[in-house]
Amino acid sequence: MVRPNDDFLSTPKLDYDGFRAALREDWGWFSPALEANIFAGKVRTRRVFGFVATDLTCNTTRVERTESDIRRDDVEYYYAVVQLTGGSKIMQDDRVVDFAAGDVVLLDSTRPVTFIPEAEHRHAQWLSLQFPRQNLVSHLGFEPQGGACARRSAQASRLLCQLALDPVSDAEPSSASAERYMALVVYDLLGALFAPPVPLGSRHNDKLFMRACRIIKNRFADPDISPREVAAEAGISLRYLQKLFTVRGSTCRHHICSARLDHAARLIERRALIKTGQPLSDIAYACGFRDYTHFARGFRQRFGTAPGAVAAGGSGGDNARARVDIGHVERPSTERRDKRAVWPARADATMGDDDPEGEEHAG
């Protein structure tokens, strides 16, 4: 249960008409169900960082804002409603939200909405914050969907409740400039709660994917580089990094191995051209591989020939095919790869797209 302000308990009770009139002044028309029982409700309106805030409770079985109510006042705003005590259902458009104490739901004044308190919580209490529609949309950069619910477990929900439930009368009222900044804080909390999920194929995610690829390109020679380190340097979670590669038919670990193998192939071909005699094991270690056997096995799988065959510099079929492939960095495609074919020596031990630890070792 979220504890409302104690002074709300002393707010005078209102009858049916008084309750509707108190809401209508700042919120427009609402229609509580009129039943045989004696109606009793409370409404208290105040300001929270420049926004209209209303604490309310009533003993009716239903409160609605109907199409008729919307036509009567034609107001346009969003309102974030916090369930303070009890529980209820809130319906807007096709969404039905089971609403518990501490949850926050965002509603659209231009769409019908229905509040139904649970039978055992007939005197449930709500807190509502009103946001001018255009101002909120301009600040967030998107148009929120009415009926979206943020659970009390979300940190932004708890912060929003704390801000809205601070004592009404502060000993030292905040300055106008401070209030403007706090209003932005409230808008940002709403953005954190109700922003739509970013599709993995979006431009934003393409940029994150390219950032991860650049990190790999710059650091593949480090034998300690792992998907976890790539994720940390990119500023995203390991699981999110995995998704960026999975939707492109690959894994981060596979991409690291491919970058190492391609660079090793270029070095080996250069070795053959200028006849340096550099040990192939040195090339493997310089490209980030810890074990030459694993390197040679991966090289044959990647290019269809052994590293030594390329180093010999012959002109046979295997060598020609290797030279065609060398220098072509393998990119994630739209086709899902056989995970066991990424790195045969370690496939059984380390593969697993759904396990954050499954991509921990890349070489």
Side-chain angles (χ1 to χ4, degrees), residues 7 76 102 118 132 169 175 235 256 283 334 359:
D7 54 353
E76 292 194 8
E118 293 177 355
S169 299
S175 66
I256 294 172
I283 291 177
T334 57
E359 290 195 22

Side-chain angles (χ1 to χ4, degrees), residues 11 45 63 102 113 126 128 143 146 156 193 215-216 322 331-332 355 357:
T11 301
T45 299
V63 178
V113 62
W126 300 277
S128 187
E143 187 168 350
L193 290 172
I215 293 169
I216 293 170
R331 301 294 182 187
D355 179 4
E357 300 301 326

Side-chain angles (χ1 to χ4, degrees), residues 210-331:
M210 293 308 299
R211 182 189 302 171
C213 290
R214 284 195 299 272
I215 293 169
I216 293 170
K217 181 180 179 180
N218 293 333
R219 296 192 55 194
F220 67 82
D222 178 359
D224 294 322
I225 188 65
S226 67
R228 185 178 297 279
E229 290 193 11
V230 174
E233 189 167 335
I236 57 179
S237 70
L238 176 58
R239 190 170 296 278
Y240 194 72
L241 176 78
Q242 290 175 317
K243 289 182 179 179
L244 291 175
F245 281 86
T246 298
V247 298
R248 293 168 173 84
S250 185
T251 67
C252 181
R253 183 159 67 92
H254 179 90
H255 199 74
I256 294 172
C257 289
S258 294
R260 287 172 171 167
L261 288 168
D262 282 298
H263 188 63
R266 287 191 291 270
L267 293 180
I268 291 172
E269 190 170 50
R270 177 176 177 272
R271 172 189 183 274
L273 289 173
I274 64 177
K275 302 183 181 345
T276 64
Q278 181 184 17
L280 293 179
S281 58
D282 287 355
I283 291 177
Y285 301 146
C287 293
F289 294 100
R290 298 180 185 275
D291 184 292
Y292 181 80
T293 301
H294 292 161
F295 160 70
R297 192 174 296 154
F299 191 97
R300 179 180 287 278
Q301 184 181 316
R302 174 77 171 85
F303 299 109
T305 190
V310 179
S315 57
D318 279 351
N319 296 324
R321 182 169 22 150
R323 284 197 298 275
V324 169
D325 288 339
I326 288 172
H328 171 71
V329 178
E330 188 171 354
R331 301 294 182 187

Side-chain angles (χ1 to χ4, degrees), residues 42-53:
K42 295 181 179 182
V43 175
R44 182 190 59 180
T45 299
R46 51 195 176 90
R47 308 290 292 188
V48 173
F49 306 122
F51 300 115
V52 176

Side-chain angles (χ1 to χ4, degrees), residues 105-126:
V105 67
L106 190 68
L107 300 172
D108 184 345
S109 73
T110 67
R111 306 293 300 168
V113 62
T114 302
F115 295 79
I116 303 177
E118 293 177 355
E120 63 271 29
H121 297 138
R122 189 62 56 81
H123 289 276
Q125 296 180 23
W126 300 277

